[in-house]
Amino acid sequence: MNIRRVWIMYWSATGTTEKITRTVGGTLAEKLGAPLEVWDFTLPSGRQGQPDFRDTDAVVFGTPTYAGRVPNVLLKYLDTLAGNGAAAVPVVTYGNRDFDDSLIELRDILADHGFRPFAAGAFVGEHSFSTVLAAGRPDADDLALARTLGERAADRLAGDELELVAVDGTPKPYRGYYQPRDRKGTPVNILKVKPLTSDACDKCRVCVKVCPMGSISPEDPSQYTGICIKCGACVKKCPKGAKYYDDAGYLYHKTELEEGYKRRGEVKLYL
Ligand SMILES: Cc1cc2nc3c(=O)[nH]c(=O)nc-3n(C[C@H](O)[C@H](O)[C@H](O)COP(=O)(O)O)c2cc1C
């Protein structure tokens, strides 16, 4: 197969998916001797268009796992993609619990939109809600595995036929979105929860710039004028540490995840 360009395309609110996607794609481009192009669709502006994919492209495509699936706020944009025969490596990150059906869903979205997903990976990233759950991941071992995926994908592209990659997960119809529950088993609804802003805020507006939903008011960064998806961008990127949550359901879920998933989550490569 004659690959002339390698694309990396990702949505990454707190940067872990970006790190993995860049490492896989960078290795792939280097091994193929092809130029590397980047399309970041984390911010609303990145979802205004898409690359002009061709069948001589290979794309490493990354999203995090949200509630065991591809983040549902991205589905409308993903539905506009046109792969035009580009070879694809779907990659998901997850925050040490499980990636459930996110990888199989991402693979299918790409296949349904004209890409040829032939290799894939699931990687661990520090949980968006936490600084202790999967802290510091992806780490050096994870990045070594990301390079392995890039190298082996390049080997696979040297052959003629690209078969649909088999991945873990429940085939369509996928399992429902993962539902956090309290001690009594009652569903915890965090949909309407938004971060609060402490007096430490000096209105530098970093949060306004990094919010993937464009939901923070530039006039008053303590105000959320649109939806909040709890992605962690404003909380983790605030230079003053001024953003925080006080919702009891959210905090219970966060602690439960931190307590329940201390083991080292596994990286899985599919080729
Ligand atoms: C709303 C939401 C739901 C999440 N659901 C899951 C999940 O079901 N399983 C899991 O292991 N991690 C889950 N995570 C954690 C992210 O998948 C993980 O931290 C990922 O590395 C974040 O990617 P990013 O740094 O590119 O934003 C969730 C995070 C958010 C914000």
Side-chain angles (χ1 to χ4, degrees), residues 12-17 65 67-68 93-95 97-98 125-128 230:
S12 184
T14 62
T16 64
T17 310
T65 301
T93 52
Y94 71 101
R97 186 188 67 76
D98 204 310
E126 181 174 295
H127 201 291
S128 323
K230 271 65 72 188

Side-chain angles (χ1 to χ4, degrees), residues 18-248:
E18 174 179 356
K19 235 182 235 173
I20 292 295
T21 311
R22 280 187 185 275
T23 305
V24 178
T27 308
L28 182 60
E30 200 180 302
K31 254 211 115 181
L32 294 174
L36 183 69
E37 310 266 359
V38 180
W39 191 285
D40 176 354
F41 61 100
T42 310
L43 297 178
S45 55
R47 299 191 290 276
Q48 294 305 312
Q50 60 180 280
D52 58 333
F53 288 119
R54 304 167 198 158
D55 63 2
T56 48
D57 289 340
V59 52
V60 179
F61 201 105
T63 70
T65 301
Y66 278 13
R69 300 277 296 274
V70 171
N72 61 4
V73 288
L74 300 180
L75 295 178
K76 204 169 139 204
Y77 172 67
L78 297 178
D79 199 34
T80 67
L81 294 179
N84 301 317
V89 182
V91 164
V92 295
T93 52
Y94 71 101
N96 222 42
R97 186 188 67 76
D98 204 310
F99 59 96
D100 296 337
D101 293 340
S102 60
L103 186 59
I104 197 167
E105 186 181 12
L106 182 60
R107 180 201 68 172
D108 291 349
I109 289 170
L110 294 176
D112 290 347
H113 290 83
F115 295 87
R116 291 175 297 156
F118 69 99
F123 292 84
V124 177
E126 181 174 295
H127 201 291
S128 323
F129 296 171
S130 175
T131 51
V132 299
L133 183 55
R137 293 187 74 182
D139 58 18
D141 290 348
D142 296 319
L143 295 179
L145 288 166
R147 281 192 290 277
T148 301
L149 179 59
E151 279 163 15
R152 291 178 58 191
D155 294 342
R156 196 51 68 82
L157 284 168
D160 290 334
E161 286 295 310
L162 289 185
E163 276 176 31
L164 180 72
V165 62
V167 299
D168 286 312
T170 306
K172 252 185 231 171
Y174 315 111
R175 282 167 280 180
Y177 291 96
Y178 174 76
Q179 173 68 64
R181 290 178 189 277
D182 68 14
R183 248 178 233 101
K184 293 182 197 139
T186 312
V188 175
N189 188 350
I190 58 169
L191 276 181
K192 297 237 164 87
V193 175
K194 296 172 184 186
L196 299 178
T197 308
S198 78
D199 292 347
C201 171
D202 62 3
K203 295 197 166 53
C204 73
R205 297 183 179 79
V206 164
C207 57
V208 176
K209 291 188 197 112
V210 301
C211 175
M213 298 295 109
S215 289
I216 305 180
S217 163
E219 288 77 37
D220 178 359
S222 71
Q223 294 303 309
Y224 289 72
T225 52
I227 66 162
C228 170
I229 57 170
K230 271 65 72 188
C231 70
C234 62
V235 176
K236 291 199 178 193
K237 293 181 180 177
C238 173
K240 300 284 177 192
K243 295 281 187 188
Y244 67 101
Y245 292 96
D246 79 340
D247 179 82

